[in-house]
Amino acid sequence: MSSESKFGEYGGQYVPEALMPAIEELTDAYERYVLDNEDGFMDEFRQRLRDFGGRPTPLQRADRLSERYDREVYLKREDLLHGGAHKLNNALGQVLLAKYMGKERIVAETGAGQHGTATAMACAHLDVDCEIYMGRTDINRQRPNVFRMRIHDAEVNPVDIGSGTLKEAINETMRDWATNVEDTHYVIGSVVGPHPFPRMVRDFQSVISEEARDQIRAKAGRLPDSVVACAGGGSNTMGAFHEFVGDGDVDLVAVEAGGSGLAIDEEEELAPHSASLSTGDDGVLHGARTKLLQSRDGQILESHSVSAGLDYSGVGPELAHLADEGRVTPVNVGDDAALEAFHRLSKTEGIIPALESSHALAYLEEHPDELGDLVVVNVSGRGDKDLDTVIEESARRNLDAAPTMEVFDGEQ
Ligand SMILES: *Cc1c(COP(=O)(O)O)cnc(C)c1O
C-alpha cells in the first residue's frame, strides 16, 4: 500500500535534501510494516500494547459529570495506560518499527519530558539505545522527567540554541537523524513533522478510537453525539477521532489551550495561548505545511499554556485539514478554566487528569449543550506530573475550586 503525503493542502515533506534518504527509508518501512502488516508487525505491536501497556483502557461512565450536565458523559481513560498518558501508543509503535528496520539507536525530542519519558520506557522495554534532545530551559523546568529518562538508561542531551525549548529540540533531533540515518530512527512525539510521521503517529494512536467506538456501542447502544479531546500537536486528538471521522453524525471537538487570552503581542513575538488550529495562519514548520502561530512577517511566535504538553506553536496537518473541511471543530479554553476542571474531576470523580486533558473537560463545563446527549471525553493522561504547577497556579489565582495548600506547621 502506498501513502499520500498530504492532507488537502497541508502536510508534505518540506525538508532539507540531507534528510530525504531518511524520510524515504521510513516511508517505505511505514508502508510495509504498518499499512501492510509485513512480518506481522502490527500483530506484535498490538500484543505489546496489551501485555506491556495494559490495553485496552476502560471507557468509563462519569456518574457525577453526567448528573451535573444532564447528559451521558463517558471518559476514555488513557490516563490508565502504562506511563500515565496516551504517549506510549506512539513511542512503542515507533521503537518497535525501528527494530523491524534494523536500527539500533533511537533519538527523540522532548519538551516537558513526557514524550522523552515514554520513548525511554519503550526503548528499555525493547532493548534499544536511546538519546533524548531537550532544551536547556525545559531541562531546568522539568528535572524529575530528566531523571525518569536516565533511570530508563536514556542519555539526555541539552540543547542550548534559541529559547532552549521544544522547537529547538526538534531541529537538533532532525539534524542528528540526518547525520546518523544508517543506524538511527527518530521517534517524533506527535502527529507533526514531514510525511510519513503525521499518518504513522495517527495510526499508532488510533487504537484509542478503535476501542472507544466499540466500547460506547456496547455500553450506550449507539455512537456518541460528540468526541472531545485536547489538542497540542494533536496526537491524542487524532487518536480519539480517527475511527469516528467517517461517522458524519459524530461531532469531533478539538480543544486547544486558550492560555491567558487570544491577543498576540507582535512586538514581543509572543502569543499568550497555543490555539494554532483556531487562530493560526498557514506556513511551514518542522517539515510540514500546517496552521501556525506567526507574526505578520511569518516569524514563528512562542506559544503559552499552563499545560506544558499543549504549549506548541503548530498543530498536525491532518487536523488543520479536517478543521478547514468543517469535520473537526476547533475551540479553546483558558488556563483558569482548565485548572478548575482539573480540581472538579479530582474532587467529584476521583480521577486526577493531566492539565492537558483538563482543557477537554473544561470545554464540557463551558458548552455542554453543544456536545449533545452522549459525550465521550478523552482523558489523555493523569495529572500527577502536574501537581507542582497546579498547587502554585491555583494559589496564585486564589481559585475557589482548589483545596487549601497550606502546610500544617506541626503545632498540636
Ligand atoms: C503530550 C500530551 C498531550 C498533547 O499532545 P498531543 O499530541 O496534542 O496529544 C496531551 N495530553 C497529555 C497527557 C500529554 O502528555
Side-chain angles (χ1 to χ4, degrees), residues 171-186:
N171 290 335
E172 276 309 289
T173 320
M174 291 227 181
R175 230 185 301 271
D176 181 314
W177 188 36
T179 317
N180 299 300
V181 58
E182 206 76 345
D183 69 344
T184 300
H185 172 66
Y186 173 17

Side-chain angles (χ1 to χ4, degrees), residues 61-101:
R61 182 177 188 272
D63 295 337
R64 248 71 54 199
L65 294 190
S66 295
E67 199 178 327
R68 180 181 178 90
Y69 304 121
D70 193 22
R71 67 205 62 230
E72 291 294 298
V73 178
Y74 283 82
L75 306 176
K76 181 58 174 163
R77 300 286 311 275
E78 289 302 290
D79 59 308
L80 292 177
L81 184 65
H82 178 46
H86 70 291
K87 289 207 163 64
L88 182 71
N89 298 323
N90 170 45
L92 190 65
Q94 286 198 54
V95 176
L96 187 64
L97 182 68
K99 280 197 89 156
Y100 274 62
M101 293 171 74

Side-chain angles (χ1 to χ4, degrees), residues 84-87 114-115 189-191 205 230-238 307-310 319 354-357 379-382 385-386:
H86 70 291
K87 289 207 163 64
Q114 297 305 114
H115 173 57
S190 190
V191 285
Q205 290 291 357
C230 67
S235 68
N236 91 91
T237 336
M238 279 315 305
S307 101
L310 300 185
L319 270 176
L355 268 177
E356 292 85 359
S357 325
V379 181
S380 53
R382 67 170 183 233
K385 68 183 177 61
D386 295 319

Side-chain angles (χ1 to χ4, degrees), residues 174-222:
M174 291 227 181
R175 230 185 301 271
D176 181 314
W177 188 36
T179 317
N180 299 300
V181 58
E182 206 76 345
D183 69 344
T184 300
H185 172 66
Y186 173 17
V187 177
I188 208 164
S190 190
V191 285
V192 301
H195 176 71
F197 283 114
R199 257 173 226 280
M200 181 171 69
V201 176
R202 176 204 70 195
D203 290 348
F204 291 143
Q205 290 291 357
S206 289
V207 64
I208 301 172
S209 49
E210 274 165 34
E211 289 173 4
R213 197 169 181 282
D214 288 345
Q215 288 166 321
I216 193 75
R217 288 215 288 198
K219 292 194 181 222
R222 68 175 178 99

Side-chain angles (χ1 to χ4, degrees), residues 76 78 85-87 190-191 208 227-241 252-258 274 277 305 307-311 315-316 319 328-333 338 353-364 376-381 385-386:
K76 181 58 174 163
E78 289 302 290
H86 70 291
K87 289 207 163 64
S190 190
V191 285
I208 301 172
V227 179
V228 188
C230 67
S235 68
N236 91 91
T237 336
M238 279 315 305
F241 291 174
L252 306 174
V253 182
V255 188
E256 298 192 282
S274 310
L277 197 57
S305 169
S307 101
L310 300 185
D311 196 348
V315 66
L319 270 176
V328 164
T329 309
V331 298
N332 60 80
V333 302
L355 268 177
E356 292 85 359
S357 325
S358 301
H359 285 72
L361 295 156
Y363 188 76
L364 173 64
V376 172
V377 182
N378 193 36
V379 181
S380 53
K385 68 183 177 61
D386 295 319

Side-chain angles (χ1 to χ4, degrees), residues 297-317:
D297 303 327
Q299 291 299 306
I300 307 298
L301 301 170
E302 294 286 324
S303 54
H304 161 81
S305 169
V306 70
S307 101
L310 300 185
D311 196 348
Y312 179 60
S313 312
V315 66

Side-chain angles (χ1 to χ4, degrees), residues 92-322:
L92 190 65
Q94 286 198 54
V95 176
L96 187 64
L97 182 68
K99 280 197 89 156
Y100 274 62
M101 293 171 74
K103 310 282 177 192
E104 288 153 10
R105 177 173 175 266
I106 292 296
V107 290
E109 88 293 345
T110 200
Q114 297 305 114
H115 173 57
T117 307
T119 303
M121 217 158 63
C123 285
H125 170 63
L126 291 165
D127 192 22
V128 184
D129 290 346
C130 182
E131 283 184 45
I132 306 291
Y133 287 90
M134 188 170 186
R136 181 77 69 180
T137 311
D138 286 334
I139 288 182
N140 291 330
R141 286 194 291 207
Q142 311 283 347
R143 291 200 166 268
N145 275 338
V146 175
F147 291 116
R148 268 183 208 120
M149 289 182 260
R150 287 188 181 152
I151 282 168
H152 288 304
D153 207 22
E155 217 173 291
V156 180
N157 301 325
V159 177
D160 287 313
I161 302 160
S163 58
T165 59
L166 179 62
K167 185 153 57 75
E168 291 83 14
I170 294 181
N171 290 335
E172 276 309 289
T173 320
M174 291 227 181
R175 230 185 301 271
D176 181 314
W177 188 36
T179 317
N180 299 300
V181 58
E182 206 76 345
D183 69 344
T184 300
H185 172 66
Y186 173 17
V187 177
I188 208 164
S190 190
V191 285
V192 301
H195 176 71
F197 283 114
R199 257 173 226 280
M200 181 171 69
V201 176
R202 176 204 70 195
D203 290 348
F204 291 143
Q205 290 291 357
S206 289
V207 64
I208 301 172
S209 49
E210 274 165 34
E211 289 173 4
R213 197 169 181 282
D214 288 345
Q215 288 166 321
I216 193 75
R217 288 215 288 198
K219 292 194 181 222
R222 68 175 178 99
L223 292 176
D225 296 312
S226 57
V227 179
V228 188
C230 67
S235 68
N236 91 91
T237 336
M238 279 315 305
F241 291 174
H242 184 64
E243 295 296 320
F244 294 105
V245 168
D247 302 319
D249 290 340
V250 180
D251 289 344
L252 306 174
V253 182
V255 188
E256 298 192 282
S260 53
L262 295 186
I264 277 177
D265 185 341
E266 286 270 348
E267 297 269 300
E268 298 286 332
E269 303 204 336
L270 263 177
H273 63 86
S274 310
S276 41
L277 197 57
S278 327
T279 73
D281 298 311
D282 293 2
V284 171
L285 178 66
H286 297 136
R289 182 168 194 82
T290 187
K291 289 184 190 288
L292 301 170
L293 301 178
Q294 314 173 55
S295 71
R296 274 189 289 267
D297 303 327
Q299 291 299 306
I300 307 298
L301 301 170
E302 294 286 324
S303 54
H304 161 81
S305 169
V306 70
S307 101
L310 300 185
D311 196 348
Y312 179 60
S313 312
V315 66
E318 186 171 16
L319 270 176
H321 175 63
L322 291 172

